[in-house]
Amino acid sequence: MIVQPEKRENQRAALPKQGVSPADLWQIADDEQRGDVKWRDGRVAALVYLIDDDILEVAKEAYGRFSSENGLSPKAFPSLYRFETEIICMAAGLFHGDEAVGSVTSGGTESIVLAVKIARDRARAERPDITSPEILLPFTAHPAFAKAAHYLGVESKRTPLNEEYRVDLDAYEASITENTIMMVGSAPNYPMGMVDPIPEMAALAEARSIHFHVDACVGGFFLPFAEKMGKEFPVWDFRVPGVTTISADLHKYGYTAKGASTIISRDPAIFEYQKFEFGDWPAGVYSTPNITGTRPGGPIAAAWAVMNYLGEDGYIKQAERIYGFMPKLIEGINEIPGLEVRGVPDMSIVTYGSDTFDIYAVADGLEERGWFVHRDRQPKGIHLMLSPGHDKFIDGYLRDLSDVTNLVTRGEITAGSKEARYG
Ligand SMILES: *Cc1c(COP(=O)(O)O)cnc(C)c1O
């Protein structure tokens, strides 16, 4: 029997006096993982991207090979420098940025904090009269912008949506002030999956020389392939003249290991505002474009490997799988009395709710049956971010959803007190 230090009654974990053998460690890890959400069984449509094992293996192999290497020094690790440069070039190519440059970050949040820093420092240089900088966001923009604003000393302001759950352009325009240093649109937004009307929004920014950022964290490595498949949605990338920076996560629909995103500037002059340099200490000049100092090599190597492994054809194949089962899922939900999918998503995100009963009662019922449920707050709903590997689980999900909704309609399940929370 292994005594797990953290499981001892009323005791905080302490460093073991003697080391624990790998065999024992992995037994603990196996035991603990049994309590985690069953993502391999399709039980969660969030947080993890369910893809075929061959892709997971490529990411894992590359990650392991470079888990000790440090991307802080391109001189010491030209390998990682090459991988990062190639990732950025591949991404810039997908986003039609001929002169675009940028860096690989630890995730969407770091990319967004850096985007706000770029906009803030650009405004300090170009519009020094502004002393109370503001950023303008549709209501659907990711909380990472609020976090970035909080860290960087700028105000953030959110504007309402129209009936299609896209930004209300008139309200958005009306909220621009002389303090606005950055305007944001999402491609697509995380809550509902709609691509904002980027050309119209960016034009408003460009006419006033305001920095415009597209948050393509969730869509950056999906929409380019959807477009090649002939799907229609607003143009959102560097083809739109006013777009100055783009954030796009590799660890979402890039299908690579966690810890990888990109922040990309339209041209090298804008990228300059991302950098930080410091020399007033005993060691060498410290110059980095990222928030992190030491940079794990694993996520960079894994992203490079998976992008090359899949190639354009591979990414299109994954998108085709998702689009293949999405209509069945959406129709299936809409056919259940009382349930309704919110709006028309542009990509693999589906949100549904109810006007006749409390959707959180359905969420409770689904959780009871082993599904991990992400809840939306405004409007109240259930949120699904779909992966290619969910194709095998749609029938089972719809069956449970129908049963649970029946029970809710009959008053046999009522909503508990759970809130919609992340983290
Ligand atoms: C996931 C996401 C983010 C934040 O990315 P993290 O990698 O979770 O930090 C930002 N914007 C959108 C639209 C996202 O979907």
Side-chain angles (χ1 to χ4, degrees):
M1 234 284 289
I2 302 160
V3 181
Q4 298 183 26
E6 70 274 19
K7 285 284 171 72
R8 278 190 222 125
E9 290 268 306
N10 301 325
Q11 263 188 35
R12 290 156 59 86
L15 186 67
K17 180 90 177 85
Q18 289 172 337
V20 179
S21 74
D24 287 350
L25 288 175
W26 307 145
Q27 194 188 321
I28 297 172
D30 284 346
D31 288 349
E32 290 302 323
Q33 279 196 303
R34 266 190 281 282
D36 290 346
V37 65
K38 304 278 180 289
W39 62 272
R40 288 173 200 276
D41 300 338
R43 290 281 156 170
V44 55
L47 302 164
V48 179
Y49 293 76
L50 186 54
I51 40 169
D52 292 338
D53 285 344
D54 57 323
I55 307 172
L56 293 175
E57 283 306 319
V58 169
K60 215 153 75 177
E61 172 72 25
Y63 203 101
R65 284 179 184 230
F66 286 86
S67 66
S68 297
E69 279 67 6
N70 189 342
L72 177 60
S73 173
K75 216 158 89 190
F77 300 106
S79 55
L80 290 173
Y81 181 71
R82 173 185 163 179
F83 298 159
E84 179 175 22
T85 307
E86 291 189 7
I87 291 167
I88 295 299
C89 288
M90 288 189 273
L94 290 172
F95 310 158
H96 301 91
D98 298 342
E99 296 171 52
V101 284
S103 65
V104 174
T105 68
S106 60
T109 300
E110 186 183 355
S111 295
I112 287 169
V113 173
L114 288 168
V116 175
K117 173 189 145 43
I118 292 172
R120 187 198 65 178
D121 290 0
R122 228 188 123 188
R124 280 180 180 170
E126 294 173 8
R127 299 164 70 200
D129 48 307
I130 296 180
T131 52
S132 318
E134 294 171 4
I135 60 176
L136 193 57
L137 310 161
F139 182 55
T140 43
H142 195 275
F145 290 97
K147 188 188 252 185
H150 177 73
Y151 287 170
L152 294 169
V154 309
E155 289 295 320
S156 68
K157 214 157 65 177
R158 283 174 190 259
T159 68
L161 310 179
N162 62 22
E163 291 105 64
E164 292 179 351
Y165 303 103
R166 294 174 206 273
V167 70
D168 176 330
L169 272 174
D170 292 335
Y172 187 71
E173 180 171 13
S175 301
I176 302 171
T177 72
E178 64 258 27
N179 290 325
T180 308
I181 58 150
M182 179 191 212
M183 293 163 63
V184 174
S186 307
N189 67 59
Y190 175 84
M192 247 84 67
M194 282 80 172
V195 178
D196 279 322
I198 303 296
E200 288 83 358
M201 296 165 86
L204 294 174
E206 196 186 21
R208 296 163 177 83
S209 302
I210 296 172
H211 189 99
F212 191 83
H213 178 79
V214 174
D215 181 14
C217 276
V218 71
F221 295 97
F222 189 98
L223 295 174
F225 309 107
E227 189 179 327
K228 286 184 207 291
M229 290 171 61
K231 303 287 172 189
E232 287 179 18
F233 38 79
V235 185
W236 57 273
D237 58 21
F238 291 120
R239 281 171 292 180
V240 180
V243 171
T244 22
T245 45
I246 294 176
S247 49
D249 288 355
L250 294 155
H251 62 200
K252 287 184 179 154
Y253 288 97
Y255 305 119
T256 181
K258 298 276 184 296
S261 171
T262 58
I263 171 69
I264 303 194
S265 289
R266 171 177 283 277
D267 58 48
I270 293 171
F271 180 59
E272 281 302 308
Y273 292 110
Q274 189 185 316
K275 295 179 183 167
F276 175 80
E277 198 172 279
F278 185 81
D280 190 19
W281 77 317
V285 172
Y286 191 91
S287 172
T288 119
N290 281 24
I291 294 175
T292 46
T294 293
R295 295 177 65 199
I300 299 171
W304 174 84
V306 170
M307 287 173 92
N308 280 293
Y309 177 69
L310 281 174
E312 184 180 306
D313 289 351
Y315 280 109
I316 289 176
K317 214 160 87 192
Q318 303 306 319
E320 279 172 351
R321 277 175 77 182
I322 296 177
Y323 282 121
F325 66 72
M326 256 181 84
K328 181 176 174 185
L329 176 68
I330 291 175
E331 281 159 32
I333 294 169
N334 283 332
E335 273 167 17
I336 299 172
L339 297 183
E340 189 193 6
V341 170
R342 308 272 190 214
V344 184
D346 288 317
M347 62 172 265
S348 50
I349 292 173
V350 172
T351 298
Y352 61 94
S354 175
D355 294 332
T356 47
F357 45 76
D358 189 346
I359 193 70
Y360 286 4
V362 175
D364 287 354
L366 286 171
E367 282 169 357
E368 189 91 342
R369 294 180 180 214
W371 300 96
F372 186 90
V373 183
H374 254 170
R375 298 161 190 234
D376 278 340
R377 295 180 66 219
Q378 299 179 49
K380 267 184 155 186
I382 291 176
H383 183 267
L384 301 167
M385 188 155 63
L386 303 165
S387 294
H390 286 133
D391 49 7
K392 294 186 285 296
F393 303 102
I394 295 301
D395 290 334
Y397 183 78
L398 286 172
R399 222 165 20 243
D400 275 350
L401 182 59
S402 171
D403 288 353
V404 164
T405 306
N406 242 321
L407 295 172
V408 171
T409 316
R410 295 209 302 263
E412 286 171 39
I413 307 178
T414 49
S417 55
K418 254 187 224 152
E419 273 187 89
R421 288 193 76 82
Y422 284 75

